[in-house]
Amino acid sequence: MSRNLPFELINHPGIFVAGIAIRTTNHDGRSQTDIRNLWTKFMSENIAGQIEAKQSDDIYCVYTDYENDHTGWYTAVLGCKISGPNDGDGMFTALVPKGEYRVYKPEGRFPDCVSDTWRQIWQDGNCRSYIADYDLYRAGAESFEKTKTEVYVGFI
């Protein structure tokens, strides 16, 4: 359970992320397929390279527009951080609002460690805001397997 999963509680300033989006659900593993396909499109079409106003090469996957909780429909947005809502170069722009967030640092084999972290968070969904959460994939890893990731979960 996530109670045993270490996290840091932070007061997040809020950010905008521009990129591509898909509406999905965790039901029957659909989100795994949908988000994998979103990643394929993001990488094969060099979406990050099309976001001229991106603030860094870090990649964000924002989960927002929740129907209810992690069992319902939500929107996944894969993109880059931008400075404001009008800097998205015509792409889907998501707002991660300011507020309190739990920050988890997945450990283990990437990318499995990220999905393992989310499964543990889902087991203890108490006090989640279900407004916006996101994964941050740090640029500059020496290999895919060594990608540094942080999971930010909105908290009430």
Side-chain angles (χ1 to χ4, degrees):
M1 299 196 58
S2 66
R3 282 177 279 217
N4 298 326
L5 193 61
F7 64 86
E8 175 186 358
L9 187 62
I10 66 162
N11 190 359
H12 193 285
I15 60 171
F16 291 96
V17 173
I20 55 176
I22 192 163
R23 191 86 174 141
T24 191
T25 179
N26 294 326
H27 185 69
D28 290 334
R30 179 175 175 158
S31 64
Q32 289 179 327
T33 301
D34 288 344
I35 294 171
R36 181 175 40 247
N37 291 341
L38 200 64
W39 271 102
T40 298
K41 179 177 180 162
F42 186 85
M43 300 307 282
S44 68
E45 296 181 18
N46 189 25
I47 300 298
Q50 299 174 41
I51 305 170
E52 293 180 19
K54 69 182 175 189
Q55 294 186 333
S56 74
D57 288 329
D58 294 339
I59 299 172
Y60 293 74
C61 189
V62 178
Y63 311 102
T64 190
D65 299 329
Y66 287 95
E67 179 181 59
N68 46 31
D69 59 18
H70 72 278
T71 64
W73 290 88
Y74 61 92
T75 301
V77 182
L78 192 57
C80 298
K81 181 178 172 183
I82 56 174
S83 60
N86 298 321
D87 295 336
D89 296 311
M91 297 200 183
F92 190 99
T93 301
L95 166 66
V96 176
K98 67 180 181 177
E100 289 190 353
Y101 287 76
R102 289 180 177 179
V103 182
Y104 300 88
K105 295 187 178 181
E107 295 180 7
R109 183 181 167 157
F110 183 82
D112 298 334
C113 62
V114 179
S115 54
D116 291 344
T117 297
W118 275 109
R119 275 191 281 284
Q120 291 180 53
I121 292 167
W122 294 337
Q123 289 177 6
D124 182 22
N126 295 334
C127 300
R128 286 186 57 195
S129 67
Y130 289 103
I131 297 171
D133 309 301
Y134 68 93
D135 303 332
L136 169 57
Y137 301 91
R138 298 278 182 193
E142 60 186 66
S143 70
F144 175 76
E145 294 79 16
K146 293 185 179 182
T147 301
K148 299 290 184 204
T149 307
E150 298 166 4
V151 175
Y152 290 72
V153 178
F155 184 70
I156 296 175

